[in-house]
Amino acid sequence: MKQYYEGKLWIISGEIGTGKTKLCATLIEQFRQISWRIKGLFSPAIFDRNDKVGISVVNLANQEIRQLAVYDPKPVRAEDEPILWTFDSEILEWGNQVFLTAIPTDILIVDELGPLEMKRNQGWVHALFALDSRNYRQAILVMRPKLLSIAQDRWPWGETIVIENIEQVSEITQRLMNQWKFV
């Protein structure tokens, strides 16, 4: 496979419930339709009725699904943001192994990076290195607005896509896919 050392990066950011995961899923489907190789991890929520109770994770190279986290709010220390999830350390390590082998690729998906990775050097740290490599045509990173400035400092070549509500998914998808219209 050809190696892409000048990979483009889209940083999708928005508050909880605005459609980040839906936008990411829609973009994944669009790139599948044009037969681009997709690697990385996609993290859809697990719901019990209307309550988000967990986070699953899909290895996009082989569609393997595992449960990453369960809802378990912790007390907040003054210097930290609250951690609302208990993460399975074995699945975090499995995810790191996925990112070690995710590049080179056409599309790299990192859904999502949070305080563990961006502030504590924990979690999916190998995703950081995969993104740094630019060894992809296009990477899609999902993250919350509170961490956006850290990401923009680390990946200044990235294009920030802010989503404010789920109704924007179709328009944003079309606009982003038009960037690859002649590929």
Side-chain angles (χ1 to χ4, degrees), residues 167-180:
E167 289 80 26
Q168 295 177 294
V169 168
S170 179
E171 179 272 322
I172 292 172
T173 299
Q174 183 176 5
R175 179 170 47 88
L176 294 175
M177 292 306 294
N178 280 342
Q179 292 181 19
W180 288 103

Side-chain angles (χ1 to χ4, degrees), residues 57-72:
V57 63
V58 181
N59 178 346
L60 294 165
N62 62 17
Q63 303 308 306
E64 182 179 357
I65 301 172
R66 299 193 182 186
Q67 184 164 348
L68 174 63
V70 295
Y71 184 71
D72 182 26

Side-chain angles (χ1 to χ4, degrees), residues 83-99:
I83 300 288
L84 301 177
W85 305 95
T86 295
F87 292 89
D88 184 320
S89 60
E90 290 180 14
I91 304 306
L92 286 172
E93 181 52 36
W94 169 79
N96 272 317
Q97 294 305 309
V98 168
F99 285 116

Side-chain angles (χ1 to χ4, degrees), residues 19-84:
K20 295 182 306 293
T21 298
K22 175 71 173 169
L23 177 57
C24 188
T26 303
L27 289 166
I28 289 167
E29 184 54 35
Q30 291 292 310
F31 282 110
R32 275 197 181 120
Q33 288 178 12
I34 59 174
S35 300
W36 281 24
R37 177 185 271 177
I38 303 170
K39 293 184 180 178
L41 296 174
F42 174 65
S43 303
I46 300 169
F47 287 94
D48 180 10
R49 297 186 188 128
N50 291 329
D51 298 324
K52 185 174 177 180
V53 296
I55 304 169
S56 62
V57 63
V58 181
N59 178 346
L60 294 165
N62 62 17
Q63 303 308 306
E64 182 179 357
I65 301 172
R66 299 193 182 186
Q67 184 164 348
L68 174 63
V70 295
Y71 184 71
D72 182 26
K74 312 273 188 312
V76 181
R77 294 181 296 177
E79 71 277 5
D80 281 338
E81 297 177 33
I83 300 288
L84 301 177

